[in-house]
Structure formats: C-alpha cells, structure tokens
Amino acid sequence: MNITSAEFVISNSDYKKCPETHMPEYAFIGRSNVGKSSLINMLTAKNDLAKTSSKPGKTLLINHFLINNSWYLVDLPGYGFASISKEMRSKLKGIIEGYLLFRPQLTNVFVLVDSRHEPQTIDVEFMQWMGEHEIPFAIIFTKADKLSQAKIQVNLSKYKEVLLETWETLPKYFVSSSEKRQGKEDILAYIEEINSSL
Ligand code: GTP
Ligand code: MG
C-alpha cells in the first residue's frame, strides 16, 4: 500500500473528543521511548508528522493522523515512564485505557517492544491486559538497526517462549527500524489487509 496523504488532525486527552468519523484506527502503544512516534513518521515518510524525542515522555496525548483520507494512525503516550509524578502517571493511564477500551473505531493496536531487551514484565503484562479485554494487537520489535540479525533472532526466540507461557498462539509480529526504514512494507500490507476485510 502507498501512503499518498498523511495529515495531523487533532490531539486529545479524552477519547470522547476524538474525531467523530467511522474510519478504522490503528494505534501505537508501548513503553515510553520505544519508538512509536518515529515509526509513524517512518510509515508515512514524513519526518516531522509525529513529535519525537530522545527523552521519554514526549507524546502525552492521543494524536490522530488521517491517512489517505480513509483511515487513521493513532499515536499514544507511552507507559512505564519512571521519572513522572504519581498524578501524571495515573492521568496517562486514564488517557491510554480510555482510548483502548472505549473507542469503537479502534481496529488494531501495535504493541511496540524494544528488540534489544529481554522480555520485560511491564510489556508482557500489558499484552495480557489487552488479551483480557479482547483488544486485537500485533507486536512490533523496534530499533532493529541497533543489534545484529543473530541477536534479534535470539531475542525473538526468548520473547516467543515467554508469550507461549500464557498465549496459545503467538500474535502476529514485525521487526522494524525507523532509522533503516525496515518493516514498512510488511506493516502497511498488514493494515491494508485488515482494511480490505472490514
Ligand atoms: P514517547 O512519546 O516518549 O512515549 O516515545 P516514543 O515511543 O514515541 O519514541 P520516539 O519515537 O520519540 O523515539 C524515542 C527515541 O528513539 C528517539 O531518539 C528516536 O530517534 C529513537 N528511535 C526511534 N526509533 C528508532 C529506530 O528504529 N532506530 C534507532 N536507532 N533509534 C530510534
Ligand atoms: Mg511518542
């Protein structure tokens, strides 16, 4: 699939104020700094569409980007951000959970995990929570440019092992690098496949 237009529409702290259209939405979630906003820029080939930062905690709202005038990419705040107040943490949790639980247009979530790390409890528990609420998701292993092919395979195997302790079948997964534009075709083809099945 080609992305011919990608435009920022609106930022919200409340899912109830998100666009009143009925187009399918694909949201990006994961730990702060895992590369959600960078991935949106890579997929749309627009470097400054979503705001990114080397410091965690850049995206703090629900951001809607209209793609090809027919569906949305949605950038969400990250979770697991250590250096914030309790109040802020609980506010972000409310924003994220409100959107994920109550947004009927939400079609698929991409849960991003850093391909450099061993499975982290916070991510595995988050996927568990998604499963309990029957929210469909795929996994994207990010920042693949930062490690060797061999190491990626080792980390993927460990991840699969941990997931198979709780999941009967593994979710669909992708390996990406926003630096090297890796994973773009496969992720967009997956979105296109879902869009055409709706
Ligand atoms: P929050 O909005 O804070 O939750 O973070 P985020 O998940 O949106 O991360 P963001 O896209 O802002 O990227 C965080 C940092 O990681 C930035 O410095 C990016 O340049 C870097 N980064 C993101 N993706 C990649 C990648 O594929 N490879 C490399 N090498 N760096 C990346
Ligand atoms: Mg972000």
Side-chain angles (χ1 to χ4, degrees), residues 29-42 50-60 75-79 81 112 116 142-146 176-181:
I29 187 72
R31 294 185 89 167
S32 228
N33 210 46
V34 71
K36 301 175 291 295
S37 304
S38 303
L39 186 62
I40 288 179
N41 292 342
M42 189 272 270
K51 301 282 175 279
T52 66
S53 168
S54 56
K55 288 192 209 127
K58 181 67 180 172
T59 311
L60 298 172
D75 196 11
L76 295 172
Y79 55 74
F81 178 20
L112 275 60
R116 292 173 294 178
T142 64
K143 308 194 184 184
D145 56 286
K146 293 205 174 200
S176 81
S177 162
S178 297
E179 285 281 294
K180 297 265 171 15
R181 297 194 189 83

